[in-house]
Amino acid sequence: MEYRDIRDTIRTDEADPMVIVCCGSGGVGKTTISAALGLSCAMSGHKTLVLTVDPARRLADALGVSPLSHEPQRVNTGKTPELSGELYAMMLDPQYTFDMLIKRYAPNGLKDHILNNRYYMHISRNMAGSHEYMAMEKLYEVFTGGGYDRIVLDTPPSRRALDFLEAPQRVLDLLGHRYFLKLFQPYIKAGQWSSRIFNFLATPVLKAVGQVVGHNALTDLLAFFQLWNDLLFDGFRRRASAVKSLLSSPSTIFFAVTTPQAFPRTEAVGLAHKLVERKFSFAGFIVNRVHEFKNHDSLEKDPPQFQPGELGEKISIAYRLEQRLARSDAHALKALETEAGPAGVIHTIPFSDESIHDLSGLIEVCRHLMRLPVNGSRFKTEE
Amino acid sequence: MIQPRKPYDINELLSCHGDLEAVSNLLSSRLIFVMGKGGTGKTTLSVCLAFIAEKMGLTTLIVEIGDSAGTAQFFGESDAGNEPSRVSSRIWTTGVDPRAELVAYTHHHMKSGFIAGRITKSRLFDYLLAATPGLKEIMTLGRIWRWFTGGPDKDGPAFDRIIVDAPATGHGLSLLSLPKNLGDMIRVGPIAAQVEDIRKLVTDSSRTAVTVATLPEELPVNETLEMMAAAKRDVGVDVSPIFINSVYPDIFTSEESEDIKRFFPDRGQTRLIKSWVNRCQSQQAYIDQILANVTCPVIRLPFFFTNELSTQEVRKLSWSLKKA
């Protein structure tokens, strides 16, 4: 295993623009890590944008982002001496992004038909994969818009770490399958929208489906897919393949974020293997919230002496439990080394007493990633 | 504040606290939905409840929704499958495949098997399932409904308790709120009729309970409070009780804590004890936030100071929960 300075991986001395994607299952601290990675880039002088998904309120406040602003905001970094670059942040809003795409591609007269269609509303708000799809879409828009040296993407919360890679393709497959084009073909050039829908309903298969789910539901669905295939699909497909090539280019790197816990760790390893297999640039694991104990074995043999009496006994209990946890984490890291194989670079961030919700906390995380001395006291490390 | 008796027994420190009677109340419902975001210990809680039910002589089915298989994996199975499989003497686990449900459903409601076959093999079918708001959920609930109402399966038992490990995304509420939403979309047809049955079941507090697992941290606590409000507003159900997972044992009195913070040097081994105290105080603040905002019972589950709970540890946890 290599414990490497993150600055090598995020190529702080290179000027070419780069995208850094943070994947991982829910609850591992992806948003905080993304912000810290963004800060690391900015500390090396790069103009950096962090695209974040759902930060805790205080972290959002520290970054100056809100779901209401759809433009990158400059993060107020105050007088931070280490910070030579500029840091921007923006909160992703999948539904807004989807709506903007429709507004861009749909002809004027039909925009409202699509935006108000109930299937469209469902697909853009709730359908599995649409948030991931829109995160990639926004990333692409920002990247091609230029103006940033580094873009850090925090991925939407999902149980499975792999969702980010697979979901957008599922959405596109679903929306762009040949079956529908074939089904629609005879009617596409046949005049008015509404009359076409009745034509569809005349086919025996659709008639039968209508019996199961009800005709109203089917009419809505058909209206949506008709518009989609006629007007939007080509534009979306072209864009999706451009997004794909951005993600697989060497200028995009992926981190798998996890904690020492078994479930997210297994997910992160699975993700790493998939990334490598598909020839994406996998940059390594970031293991968050590690309880580090130097020499925890010797501590067990030679327990620390605190004052005698009741308080001393309580302290030694607390100490023993912390040791148990540190051993469990050390065991988890060992397991990760084995599972990750020789190519697996592992960065660790020690457990923090308090949740990290301000700039100074993020700077400490950065310093851990850069393997610089940390003078703050919030991290549970033992010198 | 709970003060353990001397001498300090780790097993006693790592036990459950709070309104444990609420656990018995919860288990008096036949259908139990366990909500909560990923990483909050939903699976551990579901298994714990099933262990308690097992001790009471009840046969329990744990249903996992979506592509999660945490419970099945906990019992050493590779995936959840689509039919109940037995993992302990009175515990069964299963997943649900909404597509297979819709296939069966379509065949059941079509006069012509030929047309039903064409439909279920067509791509339109997958469009419908993915794009129709709530269709996946209604199929999932429909399957649960059949386990709930059905007698013994051909090869399996009738289930005394059904515990649903709800999806980790979107609060898992999409599953419960759907009978309401789908009612608007699909107004006629056989599905519409089933929605009404399921709506009644989900909102009937004599048969169905909804509980939630959370952590004493900022995001999980806020999300839990939001979810509970939405459950009340959008579905009309009261979530109760709340299980707070991974709570540190409260061994220091508040005077001791203050002394440790003030007088212990900020380095080496004592640094760790200070950090323990900070952690406990921070957790307590989030627990207080929950207590101040809800009227339902709150139960604290201990942190086990390990990354992987063994079956043994979860059994121990369930005994501690059962001491009601």
Side-chain angles (χ1 to χ4, degrees):
Chain A
M1 177 180 54
E2 282 178 82
Y3 286 102
R4 211 193 279 171
D5 182 340
I6 198 92
R7 283 173 291 188
D8 302 338
T9 316
I10 58 178
R11 299 173 218 159
T12 50
D13 46 353
E14 268 181 42
D16 291 345
M18 233 178 114
V19 173
I20 299 163
V21 184
C22 286
C23 301
S25 47
V28 296
K30 245 184 327 190
T31 303
T32 306
I33 302 294
S34 306
L37 281 171
L39 202 56
S40 305
C41 296
M43 280 164 96
S44 344
H46 289 300
K47 186 177 174 190
T48 305
L49 172 64
V50 178
L51 291 171
T52 172
V53 175
D54 190 18
R57 201 185 314 118
R58 287 183 298 173
L59 182 62
D61 289 346
L63 293 173
V65 294
S66 105
L68 299 173
S69 69
H70 298 289
E71 294 299 321
Q73 305 291 316
R74 175 92 187 255
V75 179
N76 179 10
T77 45
K79 290 195 190 74
T80 311
E82 298 101 318
L83 214 67
S84 50
E86 295 168 26
L87 183 63
Y88 292 79
M90 186 182 139
M91 213 188 277
L92 289 169
D93 181 343
Q95 188 196 320
Y96 178 83
T97 309
F98 217 138
D99 288 354
M100 292 310 283
L101 272 181
I102 298 293
K103 285 181 184 158
R104 177 180 310 153
Y105 285 113
N108 276 331
L110 292 169
K111 277 175 194 165
D112 290 342
H113 279 279
I114 298 178
L115 294 174
N116 296 326
N117 180 287
R118 281 182 291 193
Y119 278 88
Y120 169 71
M121 287 189 201
H122 172 66
I123 287 169
S124 63
R125 286 156 179 72
N126 305 322
M127 192 168 89
S130 63
H131 287 202
E132 285 82 357
Y133 181 20
M134 285 304 121
M136 287 194 183
E137 171 58 39
K138 194 73 203 177
L139 171 72
Y140 181 73
E141 185 194 309
V142 175
F143 185 81
T144 50
Y148 298 99
D149 307 318
R150 295 289 180 272
I151 300 169
V152 182
L153 176 68
D154 171 21
T155 55
S158 70
R159 186 173 164 87
R160 311 302 303 261
L162 268 175
D163 277 355
F164 181 69
L165 280 186
E166 293 177 346
Q169 192 54 46
R170 278 206 301 270
V171 176
L172 269 183
D173 282 352
L174 192 79
L175 294 177
H177 198 270
R178 261 169 222 285
Y179 173 82
F180 250 70
L181 292 179
K182 234 165 87 187
L183 190 70
F184 289 142
Q185 216 62 56
Y187 309 96
I188 279 176
K189 296 196 174 63
Q192 292 306 305
W193 291 105
S194 51
S195 66
R196 286 197 230 166
I197 290 161
F198 289 110
N199 286 339
F200 292 151
L201 290 177
T203 67
V205 169
L206 292 181
K207 220 176 185 166
V209 171
Q211 283 169 17
V212 179
V213 297
H215 285 289
N216 285 327
L218 199 56
T219 312
D220 271 2
L221 175 74
L222 292 179
F224 171 69
F225 279 116
Q226 193 175 29
L227 289 168
W228 178 270
N229 278 299
D230 279 13
L231 306 169
L232 300 171
F233 179 59
D234 275 345
F236 269 68
R237 190 173 48 187
R238 270 198 301 276
R239 221 172 150 83
S241 73
V243 173
K244 221 178 188 171
S245 55
L246 167 65
L247 289 178
S248 52
S249 81
S251 55
T252 301
I253 62 168
F254 292 81
F255 282 107
V257 184
T258 179
T259 64
Q261 287 175 307
F263 181 79
R265 202 181 74 226
T266 314
E267 286 294 302
V269 171
L271 174 80
H273 288 312
K274 270 277 184 338
L275 286 167
V276 172
E277 188 186 301
R278 296 184 193 178
K279 309 238 184 310
F280 289 102
S281 311
F282 176 61
F285 297 92
I286 298 180
V287 188
N288 196 14
R289 301 192 197 127
V290 178
H291 299 80
E292 290 177 332
F293 243 119
K294 308 266 157 58
N295 306 320
H296 51 78
D297 287 334
S298 72
L299 278 171
E300 190 148 356
K301 284 180 218 117
D302 181 19
Q305 294 302 311
F306 294 105
Q307 58 261 63
E310 195 180 351
L311 183 60
E313 197 182 336
K314 287 179 177 181
I315 286 172
S316 73
I317 284 174
Y319 213 85
R320 279 214 304 281
L321 288 173
E322 285 291 333
Q323 273 178 285
R324 187 200 278 202
L325 184 55
R327 262 202 310 278
S328 176
D329 282 5
H331 181 78
L333 280 175
K334 266 261 156 1
L336 180 61
E337 279 177 45
T338 318
E339 293 154 358
V345 178
I346 299 176
H347 300 278
T348 59
I349 297 170
F351 186 86
S352 159
D353 287 357
E354 308 144 42
S355 61
I356 291 159
H357 51 74
D358 56 12
L359 212 61
S360 65
L362 289 176
I363 288 174
E364 283 180 44
V365 177
C366 285
R367 295 183 72 87
H368 280 291
L369 287 170
M370 296 175 177
R371 311 201 67 71
L372 294 171
V374 177
N375 40 19
S377 63
R378 75 171 72 219
F379 287 98
K380 200 182 273 188
T381 47
E382 206 186 2
E383 302 88 59
Chain B
M1 188 166 291
I2 285 68
Q3 290 296 328
R5 276 175 285 106
K6 278 188 71 183
Y8 298 104
D9 171 14
I10 290 214
N11 283 334
E12 186 161 340
L13 285 173
L14 305 189
S15 59
C16 304
H17 297 289
D19 191 350
L20 295 183
E21 219 158 285
V23 179
S24 317
N25 288 339
L26 178 64
L27 279 167
S28 66
S29 299
R30 262 195 74 202
L31 178 59
I32 301 167
F33 287 90
V34 180
M35 320 292 275
K37 281 267 177 169
T40 54
K42 244 171 348 119
T43 297
T44 305
L45 178 58
S46 304
V47 174
C48 252
L49 293 174
F51 276 148
I52 299 173
E54 185 173 52
K55 268 215 147 173
M56 292 159 71
L58 301 169
T59 301
T60 303
L61 174 66
I62 303 177
V63 184
E64 294 188 88
I65 311 288
D67 51 7
S68 75
T71 314
Q73 281 161 6
F74 177 83
F75 286 107
E77 313 263 307
S78 58
D79 64 79
N82 293 318
E83 289 300 328
S85 73
R86 186 186 192 149
V87 291
S88 176
S89 70
R90 287 175 182 277
I91 302 175
W92 299 63
T93 64
T94 186
V96 182
D97 176 7
R99 193 184 192 283
E101 274 304 294
L102 189 58
V103 169
Y105 202 89
T106 308
H107 277 278
H108 186 252
H109 287 282
M110 289 272 143
K111 273 171 243 123
S112 155
F114 173 71
I115 290 186
R118 271 193 70 191
I119 291 173
T120 54
K121 282 190 196 75
S122 80
R123 192 69 191 186
L124 171 65
F125 195 73
D126 289 308
Y127 274 93
L128 269 178
L129 191 63
T132 307
L135 192 56
K136 257 185 193 155
E137 286 85 353
I138 200 71
M139 287 299 128
T140 305
L141 285 176
R143 185 70 189 99
I144 295 170
W145 168 265
R146 287 201 282 131
W147 278 314
F148 185 84
T149 52
D153 279 4
K154 278 193 297 288
D155 326 303
F159 297 109
D160 301 311
R161 296 292 177 270
I162 296 173
I163 297 173
V164 183
D165 192 342
T169 48
H171 303 319
L173 253 196
S174 56
L175 190 67
L176 294 182
S177 56
L178 107 247
K180 205 168 166 182
N181 295 337
L182 199 68
D184 301 337
M185 285 296 294
I186 295 175
R187 288 170 285 255
V188 291
I191 291 182
Q194 188 170 15
V195 171
E196 191 47 37
D197 286 339
I198 294 177
R199 188 210 312 267
K200 279 188 192 136
L201 173 62
V202 164
T203 53
D204 177 359
S205 60
S206 69
R207 294 184 291 174
T208 303
V210 182
T211 182
V212 63
T214 189
L215 295 173
E217 292 166 22
E218 182 183 359
L219 269 183
V221 166
N222 288 337
E223 279 166 359
T224 299
L225 294 175
E226 278 165 26
M227 186 278 284
M228 291 176 70
K232 182 81 189 156
R233 184 184 62 232
D234 301 341
V235 194
V237 301
D238 290 305
V239 178
S240 171
I242 301 175
F243 290 90
I244 308 178
N245 261 310
S246 300
V247 178
Y248 265 54
D250 211 353
I251 54 178
F252 299 109
T253 64
S254 39
E255 294 80 27
E256 285 167 344
S257 298
E258 288 313 311
D259 284 351
I260 288 170
K261 280 170 79 173
R262 195 174 319 152
F263 300 118
F264 275 37
D266 216 354
R267 64 184 148 71
Q269 294 161 341
T270 50
R271 161 89 199 91
L272 237 115
I273 302 303
K274 284 180 91 165
S275 153
W276 169 292
V277 168
N278 285 337
R279 175 78 191 237
C280 285
Q281 291 185 335
S282 142
Q283 287 199 340
Q284 191 57 49
Y286 290 116
I287 293 170
D288 290 343
Q289 187 191 343
I290 290 178
L291 292 172
N293 281 286
V294 302
T295 49
C296 72
V298 175
I299 292 151
R300 286 163 288 154
L301 304 179
F303 183 43
F304 268 82
F305 296 86
T306 174
N307 287 304
E308 262 160 293
L309 285 181
S310 63
T311 319
Q312 188 56 33
E313 281 164 321
V314 177
R315 274 194 195 278
K316 230 156 80 179
L317 191 62
S318 74
W319 297 333
S320 149
L321 253 184
K322 215 215 152 213
K323 276 185 203 151

